[in-house]
Amino acid sequence: MNTPTTHPTVSRTAAAKPPPAPVSAPDPAPTRPPVPADKPGIALVNPSVGFSDRRKSKPIGLAYLMAYLDKHGYPSSGFDFGDSEDDTVELAELYGLDRFDVVGFSVYNESFRNAIAMAEWIKSRRPDCLVVLGGPHATAVHEHIMRRYPCVDVVVRREGEEAMLDLVRHLGDREALTRIQGTTWHSADADGVPLINADRPFVPDLDQIPFPDAEFTSHSGYPDLTYFDEVQGRLKAALTICSSRSCPYNCSFCGVLTIGRKYRSREAERVVAELLHFRERHGVRYQHVYFSDANFFVSPTRALEVAEALHAADPDISFSFGTRVNQVLKAAEVLPRLKECGLRFIELGIESASEPVLERLAKHVKPEVNVAAVRLLRRLGIEISLDFIMLDPATTTADIRANLDFLRDTGFYDYVPHDHLYTALVLYEGTPIRDFYARRFGVEFDPDDLPSPFDLFEEPAVQRFSDTLRAFRKRWQGDIDDALAVGELALASMGEHPDIPRALHARLQLDVVSLRHAPNLLVETLLEDAEAGFPRLDTGGLEALLPRLGPDLVPLHDLIRRTKAAAGQVGFSEIPGAPGQHGRD
């Protein structure tokens, strides 16, 4: 639940958020940050995950590392290739990563192979460069990395600030380096057993770590982060702040477990100080805070202290955060006051409406707790950003039915984006759920690989359901998104066009609602067909399952075309810079 979003629904974003600027191609000869003459040259790299993500934000973990090193007199250069689809080695050469004495990579399962490719190239050009890997994936498989990859000199496990500082301080002293707590090294002995130093204690006081004020050389740049506040009726500049680390719960699928469950939080005054710091630093009056904490609501008392401190600093501040359903219910008495202080929405970790799935995910809640949390937030007028896992390898059609019933009964048919309909559980290295399925399948997953969640279903009907749903997403979801965006922009602006016929306005309203429902209706129809043995899919393919929509029950492609045409009459024919068709899962 760490990725900030602009808002959980299209109507809140499309109606007021300016379209994103097109991303230009990178400069063929990018400006290279200078390497200090009197200090080791340090580069910290966020390698590519292999696809482009329009919601890209700065890698906050590396930003903290850079700020911490700089505070202690060791400036570094940051490189963010997270959404690049270019050749990995060409990127390393283009940006001159072989110029540095130390190159550190923050790696996840998705980016690991690209990090290794860069590391191998750097070592081939600069054998004396210290190559460091860190992050959740490197922590989970540190011994494996040391056994298989000679291009990596050291793995920094768990939190990286203090260990990385020790590494650059003792650069050149092999004996001192290999004694640093929280690191794993290649063996100096013939047996090849990695040298694993004791874990380093967690940073006890997060307020001693400087604000993540670091700039990155980015391959594609960063979109401005905004939030449309319906309560105040205006678009706000937004800032992401991490006010705590880790989470005391043990959900079996969560990568936070890899780093450790030691929850620590920052003082409210420091959170406010960070907001004010970046307002001055960037010259932007940030008025919405997206808390990127793994679980902001561990302590409701502390959450309220943060909210009240922000509200006292600026009464126009709004904010949002992520948490669990049981915490929402346990702290129900705090929520009204949080709303008074600017709480607009909660990213809610529902995950599933099926009890067997919730048990596998180690959520330790019942489906009725999910329902109760949603209804409570609805009553209070606090919006919900939905975290959901539609499918996991052992999913049955009964589990899918429970999910769809929940989404319909709790009012999520109008919820967009529709990503929650397409999600499948990812088996990250280091998580208990990956080990569970390795035992269940009688396999040993390669530590370097992230198995596709769409190839692991046990039930053939679920496999076919997933394949068909993915085909629908690839063919239709992009067109639906585009039509919804221009349709909602047109609806929001129609008050400025009194000459627009009422009939056109009314029909566009109905058509936009129908488009919101279209993917849900497709999933319902597909499930019914799966439960019956796929008679419609067998005879007519995907086209036979597409819903007919609107008051006149037109085909989906006609509704999309009609919505765009109506929006065009008001001047919204397209969204500049909008993404194309969905090309990945």
Side-chain angles (χ1 to χ4, degrees):
M1 300 187 294
N2 292 339
T3 303
T5 54
T6 51
H7 200 273
T9 61
V10 164
S11 65
R12 277 66 174 179
T13 54
K17 182 181 177 181
V23 176
S24 58
D27 189 326
T31 301
R32 294 179 173 184
V35 176
D38 60 339
K39 297 284 185 180
I42 305 167
L44 297 176
V45 183
N46 182 38
S48 171
V49 297
F51 57 83
S52 179
D53 187 346
R54 292 181 65 250
R55 294 177 294 180
K56 178 183 180 184
S57 58
K58 291 183 180 180
I60 194 168
L62 287 181
Y64 274 118
L65 275 178
M66 291 175 66
Y68 191 79
L69 292 176
D70 190 64
K71 174 185 176 181
H72 290 86
Y74 292 89
S76 59
S77 300
F79 296 88
D80 182 11
F81 308 131
D83 67 342
S84 176
E85 298 178 273
D86 288 2
D87 180 81
T88 297
V89 172
E90 290 178 3
L91 282 174
E93 183 173 10
L94 182 66
Y95 290 92
L97 296 187
D98 57 336
R99 296 176 293 132
F100 296 92
D101 304 300
V102 180
V103 180
F105 296 93
S106 177
V107 294
Y108 296 84
N109 273 171
E110 298 95 330
S111 62
F112 176 72
R113 289 189 180 277
N114 285 332
I116 291 297
M118 283 186 166
E120 288 176 339
W121 181 83
I122 291 168
K123 277 293 189 181
S124 71
R125 306 269 298 179
R126 182 83 181 273
D128 61 335
C129 175
L130 185 73
V131 173
V132 186
L133 259 60
H137 182 71
T139 298
V141 297
H142 59 105
E143 293 184 67
H144 163 79
I145 291 171
M146 287 296 101
R147 292 178 186 276
R148 183 177 290 187
Y149 296 104
C151 61
V152 178
D153 294 299
V154 56
V155 169
V156 171
R157 307 190 307 273
R158 307 201 304 188
E159 292 178 330
E161 287 90 358
E162 294 179 342
M164 196 70 188
L165 178 59
D166 280 350
L167 286 173
V168 299
R169 277 176 168 168
H170 297 291
L171 195 64
D173 185 346
R174 171 76 183 183
E175 184 177 351
L177 285 175
T178 56
R179 292 200 304 265
I180 292 172
Q181 284 186 318
T183 62
T184 302
W185 297 81
H186 293 289
S187 174
D189 302 326
D191 61 9
V193 176
L195 172 61
I196 305 171
N197 290 308
D199 286 338
R200 179 180 291 268
F202 290 105
V203 177
D205 184 3
L206 298 183
D207 289 324
Q208 297 305 308
I209 298 176
F211 302 143
D213 192 353
E215 297 299 323
F216 291 85
T217 299
S218 172
H219 196 53
S220 59
Y222 303 97
D224 292 334
L225 190 61
T226 59
Y227 172 76
F228 184 74
D229 189 343
E230 278 200 335
V231 175
Q232 298 181 11
R234 60 189 176 87
L235 189 71
K236 294 178 173 181
L239 181 69
T240 298
I241 293 179
C242 184
S243 75
S244 66
R245 288 189 179 180
S246 199
C247 174
Y249 293 90
N250 60 352
C251 301
S252 66
F253 59 95
C254 184
V256 171
L257 295 177
T258 305
I259 302 299
R261 294 172 56 209
K262 178 68 173 177
Y263 175 79
R264 290 141 296 145
S265 61
R266 298 167 57 195
E267 295 294 332
E269 292 75 13
R270 288 291 289 172
V271 175
V272 173
E274 180 169 339
L275 171 70
L276 299 179
H277 169 84
F278 282 111
R279 278 183 172 184
E280 182 177 356
R281 173 80 162 80
H282 298 154
V284 176
R285 190 165 180 251
Y286 297 111
Q287 286 196 301
H288 184 85
V289 175
Y290 292 105
F291 285 107
S292 63
D293 306 39
N295 189 342
F296 178 82
F297 212 38
V298 170
S299 169
T301 301
R302 178 257 173 189
L304 184 56
E305 290 173 355
V306 172
E308 290 182 332
L310 286 171
H311 188 69
D314 184 347
D316 288 334
I317 287 284
S318 55
F319 64 94
S320 54
F321 61 79
T323 192
R324 293 167 51 94
V325 292
N326 58 321
Q327 290 179 282
V328 165
L329 294 176
K330 288 178 181 178
E333 71 283 355
V334 173
L335 294 172
R337 177 56 182 159
L338 289 176
K339 184 181 178 183
E340 291 175 1
C341 290
L343 174 60
R344 293 295 186 263
F345 73 86
I346 292 177
E347 185 176 350
L348 197 59
I350 293 173
E351 319 309 352
S352 178
S354 164
E355 188 165 352
V357 177
L358 291 172
E359 290 176 356
R360 286 196 292 274
L361 300 181
K363 293 294 293 184
H364 301 296
V365 297
K366 299 290 186 181
E368 53 266 29
V369 177
N370 286 335
V371 174
V374 169
R375 289 178 177 169
L376 171 62
L377 294 179
R378 297 262 198 239
R379 287 197 304 272
L380 294 173
I382 298 170
E383 297 239 17
I384 298 169
S385 179
L386 184 62
D387 280 347
F388 207 71
I389 300 173
M390 180 63 74
L391 305 171
D392 82 320
T395 290
T396 65
T397 53
D399 296 329
I400 301 172
R401 173 60 65 194
N403 286 341
L404 297 187
D405 289 347
F406 167 82
L407 293 171
R408 182 183 60 251
D409 296 343
T410 52
F412 285 108
Y413 251 51
D414 279 323
Y415 181 90
V416 287
H418 296 102
D419 295 0
H420 59 286
L421 296 174
Y422 307 111
T423 53
L425 177 69
V426 180
L427 304 181
Y428 289 110
E429 186 63 70
T431 59
I433 197 70
R434 179 170 170 131
D435 294 336
F436 168 84
Y437 276 113
R439 293 191 302 270
R440 186 177 179 114
F441 297 153
V443 300
E444 184 174 343
F445 295 118
D446 188 326
D448 295 350
D449 289 337
L450 188 62
S452 169
F454 300 102
D455 298 332
L456 299 174
F457 301 114
E458 294 178 323
E459 189 172 295
V462 173
Q463 183 67 63
R464 193 173 184 191
F465 172 92
S466 172
D467 293 344
T468 307
L469 187 57
R470 291 167 64 202
F472 171 82
R473 184 190 194 193
K474 189 175 184 67
R475 168 63 185 88
W476 290 104
Q477 190 64 55
D479 289 341
I480 292 170
D481 291 343
D482 291 347
L484 272 175
V486 295
E488 300 230 17
L489 282 168
L491 285 174
S493 69
M494 278 186 170
E496 304 169 7
H497 299 273
D499 54 326
I500 298 295
R502 287 187 177 182
L504 174 61
H505 189 183
R507 191 184 69 188
L508 183 57
Q509 283 182 313
L510 291 172
D511 287 350
V512 164
V513 171
S514 295
L515 278 177
R516 281 173 167 263
H517 293 176
N520 296 278
L521 294 171
L522 179 280
V523 176
E524 292 269 14
T525 302
L526 174 58
L527 179 59
E528 291 172 1
D529 202 48
E531 291 168 334
F534 295 105
R536 294 176 66 177
L537 190 61
D538 286 338
T539 56
L542 178 59
E543 292 294 320
L545 301 174
L546 296 180
R548 300 181 72 89
L549 302 152
D552 47 352
L553 298 178
V554 298
L556 177 58
H557 60 84
D558 286 340
L559 184 66
I560 291 171
R561 183 168 58 246
R562 188 166 78 188
T563 301
K564 289 184 175 181
Q569 291 182 247
V570 192
F572 294 98
S573 58
E574 62 179 350
I575 302 295
Q581 301 289 353
H582 288 267
R584 70 177 189 85
D585 296 312

